[in-house]
Amino acid sequence: MNRQVSAEQRTATVARLLQLRQAGTLTGEHVRLAAAGHGVAARTVRRWLHRGDQQQRAARPEWHRLSDTDREAYAYFRGNVAALARARAAVVAGESRAAGVPVPQFLIDGWAGAAPAALRTLQRAFAEQMTPAERAYWKTGEAGRRAADTYLQRPWTPRNQVWELDHKLLPILLLPRRGGAVQPWLTSVIDDGTRALLGWAITLTPSTATVLTALRMALTHEPDRGPFGAVPAHTRIDRGLEFAAEAVTDALAALVVGQHRLPGFTPHLKGKIERIHLTIEQTLLGGLPGYTHGPRDAAGRLHGPLSDRARDRENADTAAVRPMRLERFVTDYFAPWVAWYNTERPHSMIGGLTPLQAWNEDPAALHRVDERLLRHLLLAGEDKKVGPYGIRHNKLDYTAPELHGRGGQIVQIRYMPHDDRRIEVYAGGEHLCTAYPQGQLTDAQRDEFRRHAKDEAKRLAAARRRASRQARTVLAPLSDGQTGEAETRLVARADADQAGRRRDDEALRRRASTSLLGLVEPYALPPGQTYPKPTDENGR
């Protein structure tokens, strides 16, 4: 029965039979033996021997050697050998034009006196004398060269020693809180040794805040998410400005974490996180509505009810079928997918283990940090002015009792991106308070706000009265030369003045209340005196 014979096996058989022929000892038994070894007919082996194709190709002299001009022409024509052959034939024939187009002068000078070569000869020469990566580079550019290139694998690292960070534009249409449908950005942090997805953040645009959010999740140990959450030794990042921001570098430096910045446009140097992003697209996004890498019709529109055209994105809120809300995608789809990936999906590059199993089986020591210390360290920050309604942030007014009396002061706030529930407020480098949006305050928080306002007013009033008494005490001796008696007299006079003001305020209050009915309360008379009786116009 015939079976597949490789070129190497056939070449070896033909070479041996040719040796026997040259020695004069080749017989039919040798041919039948070779045929039985390959599972083919004897006449097939005789045809191999007769043609001697592999032996002749190996012994064939080099029939065309590519010159430097040939290689330059290959680059000039972007890998189009047919166009190169036409230009070369025209130059060899003494012409300066090929297919009606002038041939560049440097090719005319380089091909001067060259021997003619057919198109097929040139095609075989380029295929044999140039590497696939070199040919792909001139045809499709750097992406083609990298696809045909080979790389060194990074050495294995223990768990939580090296993290890779990167951004990814998710190919899916989602509806944010405001505006039309968009494609959100994913900022992710993975562990190099176990392939675990430790931290992530999904936002409309990548920023320093999203990087800090993903890092905070990766550093925080939460039993609900598994045993993950510890301080790494190094991080591997690209040239994205968000990763090199001062807030990120300062936070990592405070935790004594080194940063390794990769050269620009080298995604293959962080291939593990690039592979996870591809897994997200293949296993999660490809089955959801709004997937922008799905099939399209002849006009370029996506199949299905959703469209990624700019006009349709603006009208997404009024469309019959709307994209998924961003919040729902995060809570109902992406977060469960991360849990499945970390705990259930086996990975071929870590021996068929899941990231959770690889993490638990690794004995490398973990260095954890108290979550309370990370709370303020890994939050995005900016300077804000305290206004009459608190601190304005993301079109919301945040307030707290501790902000009383700080109108116009510049403070620093720290916050989680796209988390409007609270912000942390700092003044002079010290934590001042946690502020909440006014529209989301509970009754207890409102009562605390009013109570704090009253207490603050009382405190300031008491301080003002105390300062006034101290000022009078200091200034009185300068006016009449008396000390102790003047102080006693000033204090008594101040108390009497205050008591008189209270009596006047009480009388004014009574008159104001009775005047609403058209009545006027009489003035108070000294003791022993009475008001005269009312009389008519005649004095009766």
Side-chain angles (χ1 to χ4, degrees):
M1 182 177 182
N2 292 345
R3 58 173 180 265
Q4 189 69 26
V5 181
S6 67
E8 290 80 5
Q9 293 173 335
R10 187 173 58 183
T11 301
T13 299
V14 172
R16 175 57 180 162
L17 294 176
L18 288 176
Q19 288 177 356
L20 293 175
R21 174 182 289 177
Q22 291 175 359
T25 59
L26 179 63
T27 64
E29 185 63 23
H30 293 146
V31 174
R32 288 189 292 271
L33 184 62
H38 290 297
V40 298
R43 64 178 177 271
T44 301
V45 177
R46 290 190 181 95
R47 186 169 63 249
W48 293 351
L49 184 60
H50 178 70
R51 292 170 55 186
D53 52 356
Q54 296 298 326
Q55 183 67 23
Q56 292 175 5
R57 177 172 297 184
R60 182 180 65 237
E62 192 173 41
W63 37 269
H64 183 78
R65 183 67 180 174
L66 293 178
S67 64
D68 294 338
T69 305
D70 293 335
R71 295 176 180 274
E72 293 175 356
Y74 190 88
Y76 178 80
F77 289 105
R78 297 177 177 85
N80 189 341
V81 182
L84 182 151
R86 284 194 299 268
R88 191 177 189 279
V91 172
V92 171
E95 300 177 1
S96 61
R97 285 179 174 269
V101 179
V103 179
Q105 187 62 42
F106 75 93
L107 293 181
I108 295 177
D109 298 338
W111 279 330
L119 172 62
R120 181 57 182 161
T121 301
L122 292 174
Q123 289 174 338
R124 292 175 60 181
F126 281 112
E128 293 182 359
Q129 300 177 37
M130 292 181 69
T131 64
E134 189 177 3
R135 297 196 305 270
Y137 179 77
W138 295 118
K139 289 182 179 179
T140 60
E142 181 65 17
R145 185 196 68 81
R146 290 179 178 178
D149 210 347
T150 57
Y151 305 97
L152 292 174
Q153 290 186 348
R154 292 186 182 276
W156 177 82
T157 57
R159 65 177 180 181
N160 213 62
Q161 291 300 303
V162 179
W163 287 358
E164 289 187 0
L165 290 76
D166 197 13
H167 296 311
K168 167 68 175 179
L169 180 64
L170 297 180
I172 185 172
L173 291 177
L174 299 174
L175 278 179
R177 293 183 180 180
R178 303 178 183 88
V182 298
Q183 292 181 233
W185 284 84
L186 168 67
T187 302
S188 50
V189 181
I190 71 162
D191 178 39
D192 182 271
T194 63
R195 307 314 199 264
L197 182 53
L198 304 178
W200 51 273
I202 298 179
T203 54
L204 301 183
T205 56
S207 63
T208 302
T210 60
V211 176
L212 292 173
T213 301
L215 281 174
R216 182 184 180 190
M217 180 185 294
L219 289 166
T220 304
H221 173 60
E222 298 179 1
D224 295 341
R225 296 194 300 117
F228 314 110
V231 180
H234 301 281
T235 59
R236 189 179 296 139
I237 60 176
D238 58 16
R239 291 286 172 176
L241 297 180
E242 299 85 10
F243 298 110
E246 183 178 358
V248 177
T249 56
D250 290 349
L252 292 176
L255 296 173
V256 197
V257 177
Q259 280 188 293
H260 179 203
R261 296 196 67 190
L262 301 173
F265 306 103
T266 54
H268 59 283
L269 297 181
K270 47 183 176 59
K272 297 181 178 65
I273 197 169
E274 296 288 346
R275 186 63 184 87
I276 287 183
H277 289 165
L278 181 59
T279 303
I280 293 173
E281 183 173 346
Q282 293 173 339
T283 60
L284 174 65
L285 304 182
L288 296 179
Y291 178 58
T292 59
H293 288 176
R296 298 177 181 269
D297 59 14
R301 291 186 292 265
L302 283 172
H303 286 184
L306 301 181
S307 172
D308 61 346
R309 294 186 299 179
R311 180 182 61 187
D312 296 334
R313 290 189 186 188
E314 295 299 328
N315 300 328
D317 289 331
T318 59
V321 180
R322 287 187 269 181
M324 189 186 310
R325 286 286 179 184
L326 177 61
E327 296 82 1
R328 183 188 173 196
F329 170 76
V330 171
T331 57
D332 295 350
Y333 290 92
F334 193 81
W337 183 91
V338 173
W340 168 82
Y341 173 84
N342 284 337
T343 60
E344 299 182 28
R345 183 183 183 274
H347 203 295
S348 60
M349 297 303 294
I350 51 178
L353 301 176
T354 65
L356 177 62
Q357 292 172 338
W359 184 283
N360 289 331
E361 292 183 6
D362 195 331
L366 298 176
H367 304 278
R368 303 191 189 276
V369 177
D370 190 349
E371 193 274 336
R372 293 173 297 179
L373 300 177
L374 296 174
R375 180 182 181 187
H376 307 303
L377 181 63
L378 295 172
L379 291 176
E382 59 180 293
D383 292 335
K384 290 284 186 178
K385 179 185 289 188
V386 180
Y389 301 107
I391 300 174
R392 188 73 172 175
H393 176 65
N394 282 346
K395 299 182 179 181
L396 293 175
D397 293 314
Y398 290 81
T399 189
E402 293 80 2
L403 295 180
H404 281 295
R406 296 183 179 272
Q409 182 179 355
I410 301 297
V411 297
Q412 186 185 45
I413 65 170
R414 291 186 177 271
Y415 56 90
M416 293 280 284
H418 301 284
D419 184 355
D420 298 333
R421 293 175 296 177
R422 67 179 65 87
I423 61 173
E424 306 295 336
V425 185
Y426 292 78
E430 299 293 334
H431 183 253
L432 180 62
C433 64
T434 301
Y436 301 89
Q438 289 207 23
Q440 303 175 17
L441 294 177
T442 63
D443 294 339
Q445 289 174 333
R446 293 179 183 276
D447 293 341
E448 175 65 20
F449 185 85
R450 297 188 182 100
R451 184 165 51 252
H452 193 280
K454 253 183 226 182
D455 295 342
E456 186 71 8
K458 289 180 180 179
R459 184 185 67 82
L460 292 177
R464 178 182 56 80
R465 290 194 297 270
R466 185 168 57 253
S468 298
R469 287 196 297 269
Q470 291 175 351
R472 292 191 185 100
T473 303
V474 174
L475 294 176
L478 300 179
S479 59
D480 56 9
Q482 299 178 356
T483 56
E485 295 180 0
E487 180 180 354
T488 304
R489 186 169 62 252
L490 286 174
V491 173
R493 183 180 302 170
D495 294 340
D497 292 344
Q498 186 175 2
R501 282 195 299 270
R502 283 199 296 269
R503 286 196 302 271
D504 294 343
D505 292 344
E506 180 65 20
L508 182 60
R509 184 187 63 79
R510 290 196 300 269
R511 289 197 302 273
S513 61
T514 55
S515 62
L516 295 176
L517 301 177
L519 303 176
V520 178
E521 186 174 350
Y523 293 100
L525 294 177
Q529 298 184 13
T530 60
Y531 288 100
K533 296 181 179 180
T535 59
D536 55 11
E537 296 178 356
N538 299 323
R540 299 178 181 176

